Amino acid sequence: MFRCGLAYPRCRWIVPLLLLFAIIFDIIAIAATSGWVEDKDAMSHYASMWSQCRGRNDIWDCKSLMEFSWAQAVAALMIIGLIILIIAFIISCIALCCTLNISLLPVIGALLFITVVIQFIALIIYPVKFNDLIFEGRYDYTWAYGFGWGATILCIGCGILFCCLPRYEDELTGLAKTKYIYTSA
């Protein structure tokens, strides 16, 4: 996998920790009350995954986005992705931290790739449909939307690691032979 010094026993603790960060990022993205979309300088229009607000001078008129089927789909996909991610995290803690169960690692990798596909679809639907909803000005996708992408990217990396780690079972368990660089002439 990585020949230049990846300490495989550390993966037993680092990869579940990365999944925990992905869960935190997902929760931030889902629970944010603003920060998915803002107009230029965030002066008159902003939106979260759940609602959008328009206004001026601290007088805001907020409306739910949940009346649109695309927004309901985005919310459902993000929440389903979070649930699958939490399940993958729990299984990874059991497989790597409590006992070393190598056979569960590809299952965790598959769960993470399912999460990636689900959240990728949600994170693409949102800007496409939101841009169809509004017609004026310039809008930026901001911090909470970025946390959603951050969680998805972490899931991609962890999914790759979980699929590759079973090939290094001896290194994970500490049963691998020591390899020396020096050879006699």
Side-chain angles (χ1 to χ4, degrees):
M1 186 160 109
F2 302 105
R3 293 212 179 261
C4 297
L6 181 65
Y8 295 99
R10 289 188 191 150
C11 288
R12 293 180 65 175
W13 305 103
I14 291 173
V15 179
L17 182 65
L18 289 174
L19 285 181
L20 181 63
F21 282 127
I23 291 170
I24 292 169
F25 286 3
D26 249 357
I27 290 171
I28 290 171
I30 291 170
T33 57
S34 67
W36 275 58
V37 180
E38 294 177 350
D39 67 339
K40 188 175 182 183
D41 301 324
M43 298 300 253
S44 64
H45 191 195
Y46 68 90
S48 69
M49 187 174 76
W50 305 100
S51 64
Q52 65 175 334
C53 297
R54 292 180 183 267
R56 292 233 183 247
N57 301 329
D58 293 332
I59 301 170
W60 296 95
D61 177 34
C62 295
K63 295 180 182 175
S64 176
L65 287 174
M66 291 300 116
E67 64 190 40
F68 301 105
S69 60
W70 63 266
Q72 293 172 357
V74 168
L77 289 171
M78 290 297 288
I79 291 170
I80 290 168
L82 176 63
I83 291 169
I84 295 172
L85 181 58
I86 290 171
I87 291 168
F89 171 72
I90 292 169
I91 296 172
S92 74
C93 286
I94 292 168
L96 290 176
C97 300
C98 300
T99 61
L100 187 59
N101 191 345
I102 301 294
S103 63
L104 286 177
L105 298 183
V107 173
I108 299 166
L111 286 173
L112 291 175
F113 286 124
I114 290 169
T115 301
V116 167
V117 169
I118 289 171
Q119 289 188 347
F120 187 80
I121 291 169
L123 292 168
I124 295 298
I125 289 173
Y126 187 88
V128 169
K129 290 301 190 176
F130 192 83
N131 286 339
D132 287 346
L133 182 66
I134 55 173
F135 300 108
E136 74 282 345
R138 179 174 175 266
Y139 287 84
D140 296 321
Y141 293 87
T142 57
W143 62 272
Y145 183 72
F147 272 107
W149 276 111
T152 305
I153 291 168
L154 278 173
C155 287
I156 291 171
C158 289
I160 291 169
L161 284 174
F162 275 113
C163 288
C164 293
L165 280 177
R167 295 181 53 210
Y168 298 91
E169 181 177 359
D170 290 339
E171 285 85 354
L172 280 170
T173 58
L175 299 174
K177 289 183 181 180
T178 305
K179 296 178 184 176
Y180 297 103
I181 298 173
Y182 176 78
T183 58
S184 61

